Amino acid sequence: MNEAEIKLKMREAIEQARLKNPLAPSVTNTVTQDFVANAQLASGGSAAMLYLPDECEAIAEIAPAVYINMGTTLPFYAETLPRMIRALAEHKTPWVLDPVGIGMSALRMELLRQMKNTPPTIIRGNASEIIAVARLWGLIDDESIGNVKGVDATDDVESAREAAIILARHINGAVAVSGAEDLITDGKLIAYSSGGSPLMTKITGSGCSLGGVMAVYLAVSDPFTAALTATAAFNAAGMFAASNTIAPASFKVAFLDALYENSTHVVVTNALRLEEV
Amino acid sequence: MNEAEIKLKMREAIEQARLKNPLAPSVTNTVTQDFVANAQLASGGSAAMLYLPDECEAIAEIAPAVYINMGTTLPFYAETLPRMIRALAEHKTPWVLDPVGIGMSALRMELLRQMKNTPPTIIRGNASEIIAVARLWGLIDDESIGNVKGVDATDDVESAREAAIILARHINGAVAVSGAEDLITDGKLIAYSSGGSPLMTKITGSGCSLGGVMAVYLAVSDPFTAALTATAAFNAAGMFAASNTIAPASFKVAFLDALYENSTHVVVTNALRLEEV
Amino acid sequence: MNEAEIKLKMREAIEQARLKNPLAPSVTNTVTQDFVANAQLASGGSAAMLYLPDECEAIAEIAPAVYINMGTTLPFYAETLPRMIRALAEHKTPWVLDPVGIGMSALRMELLRQMKNTPPTIIRGNASEIIAVARLWGLIDDESIGNVKGVDATDDVESAREAAIILARHINGAVAVSGAEDLITDGKLIAYSSGGSPLMTKITGSGCSLGGVMAVYLAVSDPFTAALTATAAFNAAGMFAASNTIAPASFKVAFLDALYENSTHVVVTNALRLEEV
């Protein structure tokens, strides 16, 4: 794909999401559910947050795409997530994984380990999280890279480049690494998307809501386009919001407004740089 | 009751809520708890969100009214909700049911089924949810109507008119169907309330917070008045907010502000149309 | 410590939090997690909300300070909290307790009871909650004082003065009583901090987020300074926000913005009155 083809696909993803209002249900952390749902609605999608094994299994069959964020892992997710992920695989429902909290808790690690063989379609995380997934799955073995501090990254995007490429190939999908400049790859092509604002790091859930919006676009598009379109939409909206506000709470309001008001044009023309792997 | 009598009761409900600051505790989904609580506070009430069987049982005895929203059903609600609902019935504590997620999960369906015989005082939902409750309880048998897609309605308000009337008579309370024009009935009289804004569907939790505010008014009023007053307050606040904002996040801020600043007059004079059943 | 020494310590706490960006993880209620996390970020800290026994145990070892809010108590907290609190004691990690919901539920009461012997470093609550903790731990025996209504206070700050002093001495830390004028004591000195706005009581989670920010400052300071600095920062931000807004949702946005924009000077010079016990 060349840049013009990519932009055409982005345009289609944005328009299809607004037209079809796809349901992109989530199993996600309790902290940022409101932000995730509102970002999904602002992008044209529809939201539902689930917990129980049987409701997750059922939704995995009928939803066009699903978002799974590991930030909150409740004890009964030992049953919820394996059943849901089996159903996602069985029905070939695409899904986005956000490995928040990787490194903490035996249950979260066991659930993430299992996903190696029934993998997500998109993995989104900060650099530290992407490196940690690649290492957990035995795809890279350099113990010296990757460092997760709570839920925030301590590595920069470029340090996760190799892990992202290897992971994207393994899952046969796309990997998105969030940072000052965001990296999205399908294992062959790398897209760098920029924009946003440092204030994005001062509001909780900007990463989670980005993952949720990737699921909305994944309901109407391919993994690479979905990950890139959501990232570009966030970067465009973040830049616009930062041009009008200088503090985090009013920035968040302006950001969600901008996500809703983003024209297709502004997203498609957001700063983009492509590289062959 | 004629229109003047209804409006007098609405006036009293609004003023009593602001005066008495009634606690209207909730068992409610994790996604929109912040919005529900803030809407309850803006309306003059007081909020508390509960989970455990014994705390729910205890609060059912002392609270003047309770809000139960089925959007999040955790495994241990198999104990929490039956104990709470038994206590609500025993102490004749009025409560609002929001059957979010009806159709999904064996546990949620079993819990909703049990409520037929210890029924809520108000049921609030979109058209699809109201039809689904009436069908679940065997009050209507037309399999061809009612269609729930995730947590959003796919039926219009008028299609739930019969289900709403039958349900209101069964529970001997009130049923509120949210939509472009909202329908509230006690089984004898139907009130249509209008206003609001299409942006209400672009923010998550506008239905949940409406249910929470109904519980605040139910603490100081009868079911029909409580359901209608909350609906009118939301419609007035939504219209006002939409006159000042065009995007969802700033709309939500303006909406909650307007709910707090609503004069009694503006709520009581919000567009209302009455019909005998 | 005299006033000048206290203000110097406050200055250092504010600057160190902004410089070091300390992680202050929480086990906290589901209602206000977003507000807690955003207030912690606005104050310079970093947030993570946890649930599972092993992740809480692990974080208790590495975090510089922790926030525990009892508002949501899930059944498996019977394991999570004792293991976490044992780890906090073992590693001498300071922590803030917010005894929200005290009086409700056998599990919450049992967990709070256990904390007497492995006590928090700071206890923050409204007057009713502080009195209830002192009584639960057998430190005061006057059954006639202290009255909790749901999650809101029904007693005034001054009525909790003795309980606060006794508790502060028992835990060898600090106790903060929130009210119209806030009281902070380490058992020897009492600081009264004022400012804020009545609108603080019209937004859910202002108390919880204050507790979360105390944990941020506790990561870089002593208990008395941390409790006082967070309180002064909230009072300064609340006053500023109230000078620009008159309704709760826009007040909340302005408040979080102000918390982020607060100069060290404005916090340190916020109205403060000291008394020897």
Side-chain angles (χ1 to χ4, degrees), chain A residues 160-174:
Chain A
R161 180 191 157 102
E162 285 314 300
I165 292 166
I166 290 168
L167 272 177
R169 288 174 181 170
H170 173 77
I171 66 174
N172 196 24

Side-chain angles (χ1 to χ4, degrees), chain C residues 29 38 57 75 83 125 133 157 160 165 189 199 214 246:
Chain C
N29 72 72
N38 280 320
E57 206 168 48
R83 281 177 59 180
V133 174
V157 165
I165 293 167
L189 203 59
L199 282 172
M214 285 181 185
I246 55 165

Side-chain angles (χ1 to χ4, degrees), chain B residues 33 38 46 51 54-55 257 261, chain C residues 30 106 108 152 204 249-250:
Chain B
Q33 289 182 331
N38 279 321
S46 179
Y51 288 87
D54 66 347
E55 66 187 6
D257 280 355
E261 292 187 305
Chain C
T30 55
R108 187 182 287 106
D152 298 318
T204 196
S250 49

Side-chain angles (χ1 to χ4, degrees), chain A residues 197-214:
Chain A
S197 158
L199 283 171
M200 298 295 282
T201 66
K202 289 294 172 193
I203 54 174
T204 197
S206 50
C208 309
S209 53
L210 174 58
V213 171
M214 285 182 185

Side-chain angles (χ1 to χ4, degrees), chain C residues 101-116:
Chain C
I102 186 167
M104 293 195 293
S105 161
L107 175 57
R108 187 182 287 106
M109 291 304 268
E110 173 54 26
L111 292 168
L112 284 167
R113 206 173 281 119
Q114 290 175 13
M115 293 175 190
K116 184 183 179 186

